[in-house]
Amino acid sequence: MRRRWVLTAGGTGLVLAAAGATALPERTEAAPVPRLLNDASWHAADDGADAAWLAEGVVPGAGGPYEAMVRQGLLDLRALTAASGAVAAGPAPSWRYAWPRDSAFAAVALARTAHPGDADRVLGFLTDVQLDDGGFEARYLLDGGGTPDGRRRQDDGAGWALWALREVLDADPSPASARARAEGVRALLEAATEFVLDRTGGGEELPEPSPDYWERRETRLTLGTAAPLVAGLRAAAAVHSRLGERSRALAVGRAADRLRALVRERFAPSGFARYADLDEPPGGVDAAVAFLLPPFAARAEPDVLAALDRYQVQARRPAGGLAPGAGWRRDGVSWTPETAVVAHVAACSGRTGQARAWLDWLDAHRTSWGSIPEKVLADGSPAGPAPLGWSAAAAVLAVAAL
């Protein structure tokens, strides 16, 4: 029998508890019913090669309740990663493109599980497709030959690339090796840093509106754009410090502090809602509040943790997972990437019970072949492409953080 979950108060904030009652009712809006877009045949696994690859690294949670989910997640990331280093978002046709955000999470998951060569290939792809101004398009063809359409670029990509670069280097146990690898992606580091500094006036102003992980046009600044840029500058300062460039590290670090203060000034009064413009309906708290917590931020601030708790209540859907934000359409669909990211930041913020509860939910809603789907319908059935690379990477990182 499929497990169901309700939110309850716990000593480390809101946690999930198994429940025999049905999920809380919600008002629904008419929307196309999603379905599972592929089956297990998308990837003809080579058991010998897969087993050898896993053995070269580590499997977080080995011997525990999440081992099977992590093993499958790592194999899914391996299969989604092209020879070019591009990481497909998923195996279904409309997802066979590389989003910088998804690639960033995949690179970090591969690095944290001791697959440095694979992580470096992903960073190499990001370096190859980076635009002249240091930013990124919304998504790319897997061969690096451009974009599949004319959709607007997303400014958060530079922040995610910088965060991934720092995390990949931090996972290297050898300081000398990490420094040499940092030199190898210096072009990515410097161009992305300059892009963020330019977009934020050196940290003195908030960036212009840009599409974010909601994948839609925006006329107002979202937390989903602003928060990754703060994380990116903070990461860039750390990498410059690793390279021994103290003055550059201090300058970028100060810009990160200024930008972080601006983000707090504009978003905190609304409880870290999606939009900074308080003269318009704020749309409720957004999943991007997670981007203001570790591992993207230096510490877990109480008001941000409180906003994360409100998000988990307001964005909960009937099957027990989370929507991208409280203002997301009320169609009954749970989204696994946001749910997995909450598990990740909860684990990194010391909320072990909360992290395990969300990991339990993800584990209980995998496909019949073990992958984490993009969505879970109100009745608990998987939908969308499976796996979704972002979800797989975030779940692996959450278990690793535990």
Side-chain angles (χ1 to χ4, degrees), residues 100-110 160 163 296 341 344 390 393-394 397:
R101 175 200 60 241
D102 301 40
S103 295
F105 275 80
V108 178
L110 291 166
W160 289 125
W163 170 73
F296 315 110
V341 166
H344 184 199
W390 187 13
L397 289 169

Side-chain angles (χ1 to χ4, degrees), residues 252-348:
V252 175
R254 291 191 187 104
D257 291 342
R258 291 192 295 267
L259 185 59
R260 172 182 166 275
L262 277 176
V263 170
R264 285 193 58 83
E265 178 184 331
R266 292 290 298 279
F267 285 92
S270 65
F272 299 99
R274 174 167 176 78
Y275 297 106
D277 306 69
L278 301 185
D279 57 341
E280 297 285 344
V285 70
D286 188 80
V289 70
F291 306 154
L292 296 175
L293 290 166
F296 315 110
R299 58 188 178 277
E301 298 175 314
D303 58 347
V304 182
L305 288 171
L308 183 73
D309 286 342
R310 290 195 302 276
Y311 162 67
Q312 291 172 77
V313 173
Q314 296 173 12
R316 181 174 171 260
R317 293 299 183 253
L322 299 169
W328 190 260
R329 58 180 175 268
R330 308 289 290 186
D331 57 5
V333 176
S334 298
W335 288 70
T336 63
E338 290 76 14
T339 306
V341 166
V342 170
H344 184 199
V345 300
C348 292

Side-chain angles (χ1 to χ4, degrees), residues 112 143 322 350 361:
R112 290 290 176 188
D143 63 3
L322 299 169
W361 184 86

Side-chain angles (χ1 to χ4, degrees), residues 156-394:
D156 62 338
W160 289 125
L162 290 169
W163 170 73
L165 175 55
R166 183 212 179 151
E167 292 286 318
V168 167
L169 297 177
D170 283 354
D172 193 326
S174 167
S177 170
R179 180 165 180 165
R181 293 167 70 198
E183 290 287 1
V185 288
R186 180 178 283 277
L188 174 64
L189 167 66
E190 294 184 346
T193 302
E194 286 303 318
F195 175 86
V196 180
L197 291 172
D198 178 69
R199 284 294 191 271
T200 63
E204 299 281 359
E205 58 191 44
L206 291 174
E208 293 296 317
S210 167
D212 63 9
Y213 73 103
W214 278 33
E215 303 287 341
R216 71 182 192 185
R217 290 180 178 269
E218 297 289 351
T219 59
R220 294 174 293 173
L221 176 64
T222 67
L223 189 57
T225 291
L229 298 187
V230 177
L233 284 182
R234 176 174 169 267
V239 177
H240 279 293
S241 179
R242 181 185 291 276
L243 288 168
E245 298 163 356
R246 185 172 181 273
S247 61
R248 177 63 167 169
L250 288 173
V252 175
R254 291 191 187 104
D257 291 342
R258 291 192 295 267
L259 185 59
R260 172 182 166 275
L262 277 176
V263 170
R264 285 193 58 83
E265 178 184 331
R266 292 290 298 279
F267 285 92
S270 65
F272 299 99
R274 174 167 176 78
Y275 297 106
D277 306 69
L278 301 185
D279 57 341
E280 297 285 344
V285 70
D286 188 80
V289 70
F291 306 154
L292 296 175
L293 290 166
F296 315 110
R299 58 188 178 277
E301 298 175 314
D303 58 347
V304 182
L305 288 171
L308 183 73
D309 286 342
R310 290 195 302 276
Y311 162 67
Q312 291 172 77
V313 173
Q314 296 173 12
R316 181 174 171 260
R317 293 299 183 253
L322 299 169
W328 190 260
R329 58 180 175 268
R330 308 289 290 186
D331 57 5
V333 176
S334 298
W335 288 70
T336 63
E338 290 76 14
T339 306
V341 166
V342 170
H344 184 199
V345 300
C348 292
S349 300
R351 293 182 159 199
T352 302
Q354 194 174 85
R356 290 188 181 280
W358 288 122
L359 287 168
D360 286 344
W361 184 86
L362 290 165
D363 193 31
H365 291 86
R366 292 189 290 149
T367 63
S368 59
W369 64 91
S371 294
I372 299 176
E374 178 189 48
K375 307 179 187 75
V376 176
L377 303 185
D379 64 1
S381 58
L388 191 77
W390 187 13
S391 302

Side-chain angles (χ1 to χ4, degrees), residues 106-158:
V108 178
L110 291 166
R112 290 290 176 188
T113 54
H115 297 286
D118 296 279
D120 287 347
R121 280 198 299 126
V122 178
L123 293 180
F125 177 82
L126 291 176
T127 302
D128 290 342
V129 299
Q130 190 174 29
L131 299 171
D132 290 342
D133 65 4
F136 292 88
E137 298 286 359
R139 57 182 186 169
Y140 293 91
L141 298 171
L142 298 183
D143 63 3
T147 61
D149 53 31
R151 69 169 56 188
R152 295 179 65 185
R153 59 189 292 182
Q154 295 177 202
D155 287 351
D156 62 338

Side-chain angles (χ1 to χ4, degrees), residues 29-94:
E29 297 176 358
V33 177
R35 65 188 189 281
L36 199 57
L37 299 179
N38 60 273
D39 56 25
S41 65
W42 76 276
H43 173 227
D46 182 334
D47 292 337
D50 284 346
W53 182 81
L54 284 174
E56 292 172 358
V58 297
V59 176
Y66 310 123
E67 178 179 358
M69 179 170 64
V70 170
R71 290 175 67 89
Q72 184 63 51
L74 285 171
L75 292 178
D76 286 341
L77 289 175
R78 181 178 186 238
L80 289 171
T81 304
S84 64
V87 181
S94 295

